[in-house]
Amino acid sequence: MVGFKATDVPPTATVKFLGAGTAACIADLITYPLDTAKVRLQIQGESQGLVHNAANTRYRGVLGTILTMVRTEGPRSLYNGLVAGLQRQMSFASVRIGLYDSVKQFYTKGSEHAGIGSRLLAGSTTGALAVAVAQPTDVVKVRFQAQARAGGGRRYQSTVEAYKTIAREEGIRGLWKGTSPNVARNAIVNCAELVTYDLIKDTLLKANLMTDDLPCHFTSAFGAGFCTTVIASPVDVVKTRYMNSALGQYRSAGHCALTMLRKEGPRAFYKGFMPSFLRLGSWNVVMFVTYEQLKRALMSAYEPREASF
């Protein structure tokens, strides 16, 4: 057995809720530069219209984007919006990941044999619910990641100022900008991520190919990350463009998608695919491995306390 030993008592809903938020924050701290590079690549070209060629492409690939940002804006630019990112994960991941098993049990009415339909419903439900709770933190995070420090003034100087400025200039609705594409994205992401992880892990265990420890969690998480990136990239690009747009630039998320298609072509929907995959793949591995270990560690600490009473 690698890592913490599985406990006889299944983790409680509270342990899952806290463990998911904490594990997601740890994963964000490690993979955040990749997420920032992904955002910069996704928004690149939105103001260029039909005039788009190699000469005016500022960022080239994952490593090129990161190196360009470090050279022109400094290393700290890779962590623009980290505070909002961590706020987002504590509220967002706690709901979408931490409540997944509880909602899945609700749909299966307590049965241990969950079908694909119940898993998809649970993933969609917790993904959409998480957006309703955490959307303002996501808007601020994307705005910070998108702004460049070099060559002009910055839109926001701090996280608190960003919340206040958006609410003042765009109204409270501005903090929930892009909710529709984000609900769609996170319903898709949650289904692809959690359901794929769930299915791969169950298959590996039932076929006795692996035991319930770190290698199994790593393999399941990596597979989930790849599937999620392929399925969710188009919605993710539209969400990023729309949330980062100036007031009145796009009438709706649908208008944003049509504008991208008309001006930049279908490939625009997969802009930033490599950093998305590197980020989601590594994020999934760190998050799920940490989450599984945190659940076991918390329940191991909980068991002796129970036994002492």
Side-chain angles (χ1 to χ4, degrees):
M1 174 69 68
V2 182
F4 285 97
K5 184 181 178 181
T7 59
D8 294 329
V9 181
T12 63
T14 304
V15 165
K16 291 176 183 177
F17 189 83
L18 294 174
T22 305
C25 284
I26 293 169
D28 245 30
L29 282 169
I30 294 170
T31 64
Y32 202 80
L34 292 171
D35 191 42
T36 303
K38 177 204 76 172
V39 169
R40 291 293 181 93
L41 284 166
Q42 286 177 338
I43 65 169
Q44 184 168 254
E46 66 179 338
S47 61
Q48 294 171 354
L50 295 171
V51 183
H52 181 75
N53 53 51
N56 55 31
T57 300
R58 184 176 180 186
Y59 303 117
R60 297 172 187 271
V62 188
L63 184 59
T65 301
I66 291 173
L67 291 175
T68 299
M69 289 181 65
V70 170
R71 187 175 65 252
T72 59
E73 304 170 51
R76 289 181 63 185
S77 65
L78 296 173
Y79 284 89
N80 276 350
L82 178 63
V83 174
L86 296 179
Q87 290 172 352
R88 174 181 179 269
Q89 291 301 352
M90 276 309 297
S91 53
F92 185 72
S94 296
V95 173
R96 78 176 186 92
I97 298 169
L99 297 183
Y100 171 74
D101 285 334
S102 299
V103 174
K104 184 172 68 174
Q105 287 176 358
F106 170 78
Y107 283 126
T108 58
K109 298 178 180 177
S111 172
E112 290 187 9
H113 303 287
I116 186 70
S118 300
R119 296 178 203 240
L120 290 172
L121 275 172
S124 300
T125 302
T126 58
L129 184 60
V131 172
V133 174
Q135 181 67 8
T137 63
D138 205 11
V139 171
V140 171
K141 179 184 83 79
V142 168
R143 297 280 181 95
F144 262 102
Q145 288 177 313
Q147 70 179 3
R149 290 183 176 180
R154 302 176 67 196
R155 292 169 82 178
Y156 314 109
Q157 301 299 323
S158 70
T159 305
V160 173
E161 185 204 344
Y163 285 117
K164 289 180 179 178
T165 302
I166 293 169
R168 185 175 64 250
E169 295 180 355
E170 303 174 41
I172 295 298
R173 289 180 64 183
L175 290 169
W176 269 268
K177 190 173 187 177
T179 298
S180 296
N182 216 11
V183 165
R185 174 191 179 272
N186 282 291
I188 293 168
V189 165
N190 233 32
C191 287
E193 197 172 77
L194 294 177
V195 175
T196 305
Y197 178 83
D198 221 2
L199 289 171
I200 293 173
K201 183 181 170 185
D202 279 359
T203 302
L204 291 172
L205 295 177
K206 286 176 181 176
N208 293 318
L209 296 172
M210 290 183 174
T211 55
D212 192 3
D213 55 13
L214 281 174
C216 176
H217 304 157
F218 180 94
T219 304
S220 304
F222 188 82
F226 179 76
C227 292
T228 303
T229 310
V230 172
I231 294 168
S233 265
V235 184
D236 190 35
V237 175
V238 173
K239 180 212 78 165
T240 300
R241 290 280 185 97
Y242 187 58
M243 288 199 305
N244 184 59
S245 64
L247 187 63
Q249 185 176 354
Y250 301 116
R251 292 192 300 273
S252 65
H255 177 236
C256 177
L258 287 173
T259 302
M260 284 174 58
L261 182 63
R262 187 174 66 251
K263 292 185 175 182
E264 300 171 61
R267 290 181 63 182
F269 293 97
Y270 279 91
K271 274 194 171 183
F273 179 83
M274 189 51 67
S276 286
F277 171 59
L278 289 174
R279 198 259 175 176
L280 263 179
S282 56
W283 191 92
N284 269 271
V285 168
V286 176
M287 195 286 298
F288 277 114
V289 169
T290 306
Y291 180 44
E292 296 279 9
Q293 294 301 303
L294 274 174
K295 285 191 295 183
R296 293 178 179 188
L298 290 170
M299 290 311 294
S300 295
Y302 180 71
E303 276 185 329
R305 246 183 6 186
E306 284 278 296
S308 64
F309 288 102

